[in-house]
């Protein structure tokens, strides 16, 4: 098979012991994905605690998660091209080394600047996903590789659930530094297993007569239809990013007549249903797009998001109201952006599928990061100087602004219901 190191027929005739080794290597890859997802998600429930421990404002606290997202956004579209050129295993191991260094640095940080540098290094972990997919496709037959890719992606998402759950108990019973150190130790062990078990893969050979550069790829994708897809994804995820930042802050604050004074463990448990809803929505979004069209999925999801956020702005006296709003908005955002991703993957030219979908992944990351930053600014501007806590009004404004950001997506929903982006 042109461009792959292991042909399907070759895999089929490989001795059973060799096939077991390959499956063990994919299992090690899955453990690595789980640990990476855990490390990525531990900051969200622990953010109020980190702000207190480091003595930083909400706006500065937003940087802790944002720099990781921005680093991932910069590196992700490059990771796939590097994997094709130099081999997926070689680049993945380099990524794991950088992420491990970032985790160790963040875990030993004593101030915000050092922690931010650690987060930047950890941010390249997002690039591990396309590299993992390269390795899965090269080492398993087509039928098995499709299932394995789903498992790796599910484990990365599952790691987000694990991180949300364990961040509180670890921070409260050990120290906040260990929320970074423990996942990093698992990443290092899983990397060693991948190094030992995963077969080496040569780079893919370019198609005969084809000369392609990132600039040429981007030029082909600069169509009005694709720009709509990117703008839709951006506004949906920017609104989601604001929610991701605002909810832990409101749960943690204990103001006069508002807030809940929740600890890190409680915050993680309250956020968990939303994390699960977001994970489930990834599979639902693709199915719904095929049945109803991406436009219908995006419009319904956006309307649900706007209504939920406006309701939350004026009714948030009980924690279940925050949990319900988180579940609804996380599910809507996940389904909408996945529908756009699925539509894009099936309508662009085959040679552009990787670049087009990676750019949508980057847009998701950037949207979340900028949304969280905007929410941090809103809370910072509304901080009560006598208590250094965000005021009740600042949370109301934050939820309303988040609703308006989501509503802006409705201006770019000119996507035919048959899934064609043209």
């Amino acid at each position: 098979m042109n461009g792959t190191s292991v042909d399907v027929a070759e895999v089929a005739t490989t001795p059973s012991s060799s096939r077991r080794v390959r499956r063990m290597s994919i299992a090690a890859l899955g453990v690595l994905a789980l640990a990476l997802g855990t490390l990525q998600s531990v900051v969200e429930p622990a953010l109020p605690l980190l702000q207190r421990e480091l003595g930083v404002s909400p706006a500065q606290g937003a940087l802790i998660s944002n720099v990781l997202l921005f680093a991932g956004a910069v590196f992700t579209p490059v990771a796939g091209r590097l994997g094709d050129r130099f081999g997926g295993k070689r680049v993945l191991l380099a990524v794991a080394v950088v992420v491990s260094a970032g985790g160790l640095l963040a875990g030993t940080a004593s101030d915000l600047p050092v922690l931010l540098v650690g987060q930047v290094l950890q941010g390249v972990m997002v690039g591990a996903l396309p590299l993992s997919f390269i390795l899965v496709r090269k080492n398993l037959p087509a039928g098995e590789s499709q299932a394995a890719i789903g498992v790796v992606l599910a484990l990365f998402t599952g790691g987000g659930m694990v991180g949300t759950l364990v961040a509180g108990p670890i921070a409260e019973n050990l120290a906040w530094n260990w929320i970074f150190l423990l996942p990093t130790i698992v990443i290092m062990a899983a990397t060693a297993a991948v190094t030992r078990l995963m077969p080496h893969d040569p780079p893919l050979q370019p198609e005969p007569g084809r000369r392609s550069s990132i600039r040429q790829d981007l030029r082909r994708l600069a169509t009005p239809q694709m720009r709509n897809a990117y703008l839709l994804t951006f506004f949906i995820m920017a609104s989601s990013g604001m929610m991701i930042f605002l909810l832990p802050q409101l749960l943690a604050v204990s103001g006069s007549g508002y807030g809940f004074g929740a600890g890190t463990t409680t915050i993680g448990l309250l956020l968990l249903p939303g994390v699960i809803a977001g994970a489930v929505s990834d599979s639902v979004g693709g199915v719904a797009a095929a049945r109803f069209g991406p436009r219908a999925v995006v419009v319904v999801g956006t309307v649900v998001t706007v209504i939920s956020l406006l309701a939350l702005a004026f009714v948030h006296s009980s924690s279940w109201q925050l949990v319900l709003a988180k579940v609804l908005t996380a599910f809507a955002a996940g389904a909408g952006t996945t529908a756009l991703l699925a539509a894009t993957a099936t309508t662009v030219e085959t040679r552009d599928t990787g670049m087009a979908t990676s750019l949508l992944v980057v847009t998701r990351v950037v949207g979340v990061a900028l949304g969280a930053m905007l929410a941090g600014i809103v809370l910072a501007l509304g901080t009560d100087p006598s208590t250094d806590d965000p005021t009740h009004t600042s949370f109301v404004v934050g939820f309303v602004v988040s609703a308006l950001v989501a509503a802006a997506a409705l201006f770019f929903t000119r996507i035919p219901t048959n899934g064609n982006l043209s």
Side-chain angles (χ1 to χ4, degrees):
M1 193 187 310
N2 186 31
T4 59
S5 61
V6 180
D7 198 300
V8 173
E10 179 184 345
V11 174
T13 58
T14 301
S16 59
S17 59
S18 178
R19 296 186 66 183
R20 282 196 299 272
V21 169
R22 293 183 188 279
R23 291 195 174 97
M24 289 174 62
S25 69
I26 299 301
L29 200 63
V31 174
L32 179 60
L34 180 68
L36 289 170
T38 301
L39 183 61
Q40 184 188 42
S41 64
V42 292
V43 167
E44 183 183 349
L47 193 54
L49 173 64
L50 293 175
Q51 291 171 197
R52 291 195 301 269
E53 292 291 330
L54 298 174
V56 299
S57 66
Q60 292 173 314
L63 290 173
I64 298 175
S65 57
N66 281 348
V67 292
L68 185 148
L69 296 174
F70 280 124
V74 171
F75 184 71
T76 298
V78 179
R81 294 177 67 90
L82 289 176
D84 287 340
R85 182 173 180 181
F86 300 107
K89 179 181 177 180
R90 180 184 300 178
V91 181
L92 178 63
L93 295 181
V95 167
V97 169
V98 174
V99 172
S100 298
L104 294 174
L105 188 60
T108 56
S110 58
D111 53 34
L112 181 62
V114 176
L115 178 58
L116 292 179
V117 173
Q119 288 290 90
V120 169
L121 296 178
Q122 291 174 57
V124 304
M125 72 173 68
V126 184
L129 287 176
L131 296 171
S132 298
F133 300 156
I134 289 173
L135 291 173
V136 168
R137 292 190 63 183
K138 286 184 177 180
N139 287 283
L140 290 177
E144 292 184 24
S145 67
Q146 292 174 4
I149 286 173
V151 170
V152 171
L153 186 56
L155 286 171
F156 185 82
T157 304
M161 302 180 196
V162 173
T164 301
L165 279 176
V166 305
I170 291 174
E172 294 173 353
N173 292 289
L174 295 175
W176 67 263
N177 311 75
W178 286 99
I179 67 175
F180 299 107
L181 293 175
L182 289 179
T184 300
I185 293 172
V186 179
I187 289 172
M188 295 168 69
T191 301
V194 171
T195 302
R196 180 177 179 82
L197 296 172
M198 183 66 67
H200 289 283
D201 62 311
L204 295 178
Q205 297 298 319
E207 296 179 7
R210 180 185 172 184
R211 294 181 179 179
S212 179
S213 66
I214 292 181
R215 180 178 298 180
Q216 290 172 325
D217 293 339
L218 293 175
R219 192 173 297 155
R220 287 196 305 272
L221 296 173
T223 64
Q225 294 77 24
M226 289 305 303
R227 286 198 296 269
N228 264 9
Y230 297 135
L231 287 169
L232 279 168
T233 300
F234 173 78
F235 283 110
I236 292 171
M237 296 312 298
S239 175
S240 180
M242 293 191 71
M243 278 287 284
I244 288 173
F245 185 82
L246 289 170
L247 288 187
Q249 303 292 331
L250 182 55
L251 289 169
V253 74
S254 183
S256 177
Y258 69 100
F260 300 89
T264 305
T265 300
T266 302
I267 293 174
L269 290 173
L270 291 173
L271 293 177
L272 183 61
V275 176
I276 295 174
V280 172
S281 69
D282 286 338
S283 58
V284 172
V287 175
R291 182 169 183 179
F292 304 108
R295 180 180 182 182
V297 178
V298 171
V299 169
V300 171
T302 301
V303 171
V304 169
T305 298
V306 172
I307 293 174
S308 300
L309 290 171
L310 291 178
L312 186 61
F314 301 102
V315 183
H316 47 256
S317 58
S318 299
S319 58
W320 69 264
Q321 296 162 345
L322 277 68
V323 172
L324 178 59
K326 173 69 173 178
V327 168
L328 291 174
T329 56
F331 189 90
T337 54
T338 301
L340 290 167
L341 190 62
T344 299
T346 55
T347 55
V348 297
E349 293 184 34
T350 303
R351 62 177 180 173
D352 295 326
T353 300
M355 181 62 74
T357 54
S358 68
L359 288 175
L360 281 176
V361 171
V362 170
T363 304
R364 291 175 69 159
V365 172
V366 172
V368 170
L370 291 181
M373 184 176 296
L374 177 59
I377 293 173
V378 170
L379 294 190
L381 293 176
T383 298
D384 185 344
S386 63
T387 63
D388 287 331
D389 289 330
T391 63
H392 179 244
T393 301
S394 67
F395 284 106
V396 173
V397 171
F399 291 131
V400 171
V401 172
S402 181
L404 294 175
V405 171
L410 294 173
F411 291 101
F412 303 98
T413 53
R414 298 180 60 186
I415 302 176
T417 55
N418 62 5
N420 192 335
L421 295 180
S422 60

